[in-house]
Amino acid sequence: MHLGHSLNLLSSFRLYPSSQREPKDPKTTTEFPDFLEELGYDKPFSTDKEQTELYAYNPETKSNINFDFTPAGRYATFNQKKIELLTTMATESMKAELEKEHGKGVVKVEVSPTEPISLKGVPYAAKRYVTYTLKGLKREQGWIYGFTEPYQIFILYMIFEKEGVNDRQDLKKILDSFEVVKKK
C-alpha cells in the first residue's frame, strides 16, 4: 500500500476545521473497516496502484462516509452538466447491486433527484441517493461525484436510521467541513 502517498494526498483536504465541532465520536481511518464488506463494499486490493481512501464512520450505528481520490485521465474534461450525468448514471448500477445481493423486487428503492452540491475547493460536484428498508432497517445510501484538478472525487455514504442518533446531521457537518486545499 502506498500509504505515504495516500496520506499526503488526503492531507490536501480537511474535515472538521477548528471553528466547527466534530460529530460525536466518529472514527476515521485510511484502513478499510472490515464491517464495510458486510455492507457490500469491495475491499481495495493490496496490489491497487493507488489507495487514496479515507473512511469515517459511527461505530455504534455503522453509518459511514468514504472518500476516494482518483487521478483523472490526462485528457479528461469535466463540467457541472457532465458530473451530474455521471452521478445519475450510477443509479442503475446501485439498483442492480441490490437486486443481485437480495433478489429481484425484494428491495423497494426510492431515488432522489440528482442535485449539484457545494464542496469547498471542488468546482464540480453532484449528489444522488436512494432510500430503502432492508431487514427492518431504513437506510439512505448515496454517492457524490466531484472533480477538482487533477482528481476525480468519489464520496459514498450510508446512513442507518436509529432512534436517538442523528447520523444525517453528522454527515452534513462532515460534508460542510470538507475542503480540498491546493498545495502551493
Side-chain angles (χ1 to χ4, degrees), residues 2 30 32 47 51 56 64 67 69 96 99 109 118 133 138 156 165 174:
H2 297 85
T30 56
F32 185 84
T47 57
Q51 293 186 5
N64 60 82
F67 299 85
F69 289 77
E99 283 185 0
V109 176
S118 178
T133 300
K138 188 169 182 183
L156 305 174
V165 179
I174 289 170

Side-chain angles (χ1 to χ4, degrees), residues 79-140:
N79 58 39
Q80 186 61 33
K81 186 174 182 175
K82 194 181 284 189
I83 288 291
E84 289 179 25
L85 178 62
L86 292 168
T87 303
T88 299
M89 290 171 45
T91 308
E92 292 309 312
S93 172
M94 166 66 185
K95 288 175 166 179
E97 285 179 33
L98 286 171
E99 283 185 0
K100 180 181 175 188
E101 187 155 330
H102 304 288
K104 192 168 181 85
V106 172
V107 180
K108 301 212 183 317
V109 176
E110 293 180 34
V111 181
S112 77
T114 300
E115 299 178 334
I117 184 170
S118 178
L119 300 171
K120 294 179 207 112
V122 180
Y124 310 116
K127 173 185 175 182
R128 192 164 206 192
Y129 63 90
V130 297
T131 55
Y132 58 95
T133 300
L134 188 62
K135 298 178 184 173
L137 188 60
K138 188 169 182 183
R139 310 160 186 234
E140 177 180 314

Side-chain angles (χ1 to χ4, degrees), residues 1-9 46-52:
M1 178 171 169
H2 297 85
L3 187 57
H5 178 74
S6 194
L7 290 175
N8 184 34
L9 172 61
S46 60
T47 57
D48 286 350
K49 279 187 171 184
E50 263 186 66
Q51 293 186 5
T52 52

Side-chain angles (χ1 to χ4, degrees), residues 23 159 165-176:
I159 298 171
V165 179
N166 197 342
D167 288 338
R168 186 169 284 102
Q169 183 178 357
D170 288 345
L171 174 76
K172 183 179 177 342
K173 286 180 187 175
I174 289 170
L175 290 172
D176 287 348

